Each structure stands twice: as C-alpha cells, then as structure tokens.
Amino acid sequence: MEETRARITREGIRIYEDADFAGMAKAGRCAAEILDLVAPLVKPGVTTGALDDFIRGEIERRGVTSATIGYKGYQHASCISVNHVVCHGIPGAKLLAEGDILNIDVTVIVDGWYGDTSRMYVAGTLPRKAERLIEVTHEALMRGIAAVKPGATFGDIGHAIQSYAEANRMSVVRDFCGHGLGRVFHAPPNVLHYGRPGTGPVLEEGMFFTIEPMVNLGRPETKVLADDWTAVTRDKSLSAQYEHSVGVTATGCEIFTLSPAGKFFRTWE
C-alpha cells in the first residue's frame, strides 16, 4: 500500500499515519523474534557464519525478506560484530572464543515495512569489563529512548546517550548513527548519539527511526577495514551496541523491536 497521505518535514523526515504503526510493529517483532531464537546458539566454537545461516533460514521459513542480502552488494542476512568490531562485521569462518562479546544486527522486510534491531550476546562466560560496557551501552540506549516525545529534539536524544556513557568513562562512536526507516531501509533523519540539548530537528508524532548507540571502552575513533564493511575501534578497545526501532507517539514513543522473550538486554540468561 502506498503512503499517499504522508507528510515530509522541511528536514526531509517522513511523518507516518497512525495506521502505519501496526506495520512497523509487525516487522519489528519479526526481527526481534529471530534474535531471540539465535541466542542459545551463541557459544564458544560456533562460527559467525553458522549464526548467519540460522538467521537466513529463519527469515526464509517465515516467508519474509532480508533487507541486507543484496544491499550494496552485501551477501549476508545479518551483521555480526565481535569484540573490537564496532559494526558491520561480516559473518564467516571465525570461531567464537570463550568470553567473546558480539553484536548481531538483523533487518527484515515484512509487508513492505522494515524491522531493524540489534543486541549483544556473549560466548561462554562474560568478562566483567565487557559486562560493564554492555550494561552502560544498554542503559545509554534506554535513556535515549526516554528522551523521545513530541516537542523534544534529536539533540536531546544524543545528549542523553553521550552524557551517560561519558559519565561512566566510556566513549560514544561518532562515525555511525541511527536513521529514519519505514518503507525504506535508510532515510532522514540521521540520529546522532551525541549532541547538545535543544538542537537538531524537533520530534513530531509519526516519525519512525532507529536509535543504535555504539559505545567503546576506549576512544571513539573507528576505521573501516579493506572489505569496505567492517568498522573497528582504532585503539582495539571493546565496543558494544544496542538498537531499537521506534515511532514517536502523542505522549512518547512506541518501541517496535521489543524482545517477545524478554531477552533484549541480557540475551545469555
């Protein structure tokens, strides 16, 4: 169904209709269910390629579409980013080792709507410094989401995330950001995970976008490897990320990608 009544703000941000929330919720739930199901498979000795094969199989079994297979030449159903990989890690023959932490990012298309989400996993026993990083990253995301309401600004979201992470002596990655989505994968606005209160576009009811902070134990700088996808921390410090897709409501926001099994935060428990 085409969006014939949708409005576009002067910043190019699409304002969706009330009825569109249901489509986003269905897509978001599908992506979240897949990430729930992969959790028991994450263990030492498993390859990231095997995890991606499972995700691809789940997408096919449900009769939905992977948004990443074929996107700009990418050939996998997920991005799997291990330890110091910040984002866009390519699944393959890498064996997970005891204590590895990894972000798994999945986007599916359901009835034309995009459900985009990622969360952290651990292979085996979680090291304490990695646990602290994961805890801070998740809390930073949730503080960013708590700032979402009509009349607030995108700078308010970024400030909530940045101030919490830096208060815990960690850094927020600047090189990557959240994005608008809906019936397209990436659209305005760019959702920065740092910023000053009161700056940036004003949030309006009907905006759909992701919030997906990447937080490093070390410095924020990243570099992209020769494969043109994999982004890593320049100082090789650990990095973590959580991502939800949300829609602005009259009183706050709806999170489209909540875990049906309650495994969004601590997937290994």
Side-chain angles (χ1 to χ4, degrees), residues 9-214:
T9 72
R10 65 182 181 180
E11 295 91 0
I13 304 170
R14 183 176 293 273
I15 306 298
Y16 287 92
E17 301 290 330
D18 290 346
D20 297 332
F21 279 73
M24 285 297 289
K26 185 176 180 181
R29 182 181 178 90
C30 180
E33 286 175 346
I34 292 169
L35 289 186
D36 283 348
L37 292 172
V38 79
L41 306 181
V42 178
K43 58 186 67 175
V46 172
T47 67
T48 56
L51 298 177
D52 185 72
D53 288 343
F54 173 82
I55 291 167
R56 184 190 297 256
E58 275 299 310
I59 291 171
E60 292 174 352
R61 185 179 69 81
R62 292 159 186 266
V64 299
T65 303
S66 167
T68 55
I69 297 174
Y71 178 77
K72 296 184 177 180
Y74 195 76
Q75 294 302 315
H76 302 276
S78 64
C79 293
I80 302 180
S81 303
V82 183
N83 292 334
H84 71 290
V85 178
V86 175
C87 60
H88 303 158
I90 301 175
K94 177 179 174 57
L95 290 168
L96 295 177
E98 179 71 31
D100 278 350
I101 63 170
L102 53 152
N103 176 275
I104 303 180
D105 190 339
V106 169
T107 307
V108 295
I109 310 169
V110 181
D111 299 331
W113 296 100
Y114 284 71
D116 187 1
T117 184
S118 79
R119 59 181 88 155
M120 296 300 296
Y121 300 78
V122 60
T125 302
L126 179 62
R128 177 54 191 159
K129 68 175 183 177
E131 183 176 28
R132 181 66 179 146
L133 170 64
I134 288 170
E135 290 171 348
V136 168
T137 305
H138 178 266
E139 178 64 20
L141 167 66
M142 299 314 293
R143 290 184 180 221
I145 290 173
V148 176
K149 60 183 179 181
T153 70
F154 282 95
D156 296 336
I157 298 172
H159 176 74
I161 292 167
Q162 179 186 10
S163 60
Y164 181 76
E166 292 181 352
N168 282 277
R169 303 176 67 84
M170 300 177 192
S171 64
V172 175
V173 170
R174 265 70 164 174
D175 296 335
F176 301 93
C177 61
H179 53 88
L181 81 171
R183 287 193 175 272
V184 294
F185 196 171
H186 297 100
N190 288 333
V191 183
L192 305 181
H193 304 117
Y194 59 94
R196 292 181 290 113
T199 62
V202 175
L203 276 67
E204 298 184 40
E205 184 178 357
M207 289 181 174
F208 296 164
F209 52 87
T210 70
I211 306 177
E212 47 184 296
M214 289 143 274

Side-chain angles (χ1 to χ4, degrees), residues 181-253:
L181 81 171
R183 287 193 175 272
V184 294
F185 196 171
H186 297 100
N190 288 333
V191 183
L192 305 181
H193 304 117
Y194 59 94
R196 292 181 290 113
T199 62
V202 175
L203 276 67
E204 298 184 40
E205 184 178 357
M207 289 181 174
F208 296 164
F209 52 87
T210 70
I211 306 177
E212 47 184 296
M214 289 143 274
V215 177
N216 298 345
L217 273 180
R219 294 185 55 83
E221 292 84 9
T222 71
K223 65 178 179 180
V224 177
L225 301 184
D227 59 28
D228 289 331
W229 285 104
T230 308
V232 301
T233 55
R234 283 192 172 271
D235 61 6
K236 299 194 184 320
S237 63
L238 288 177
S239 186
Q241 180 187 21
Y242 280 91
E243 175 184 14
H244 269 317
S245 296
V246 304
V248 183
T249 66
T251 57
C253 77

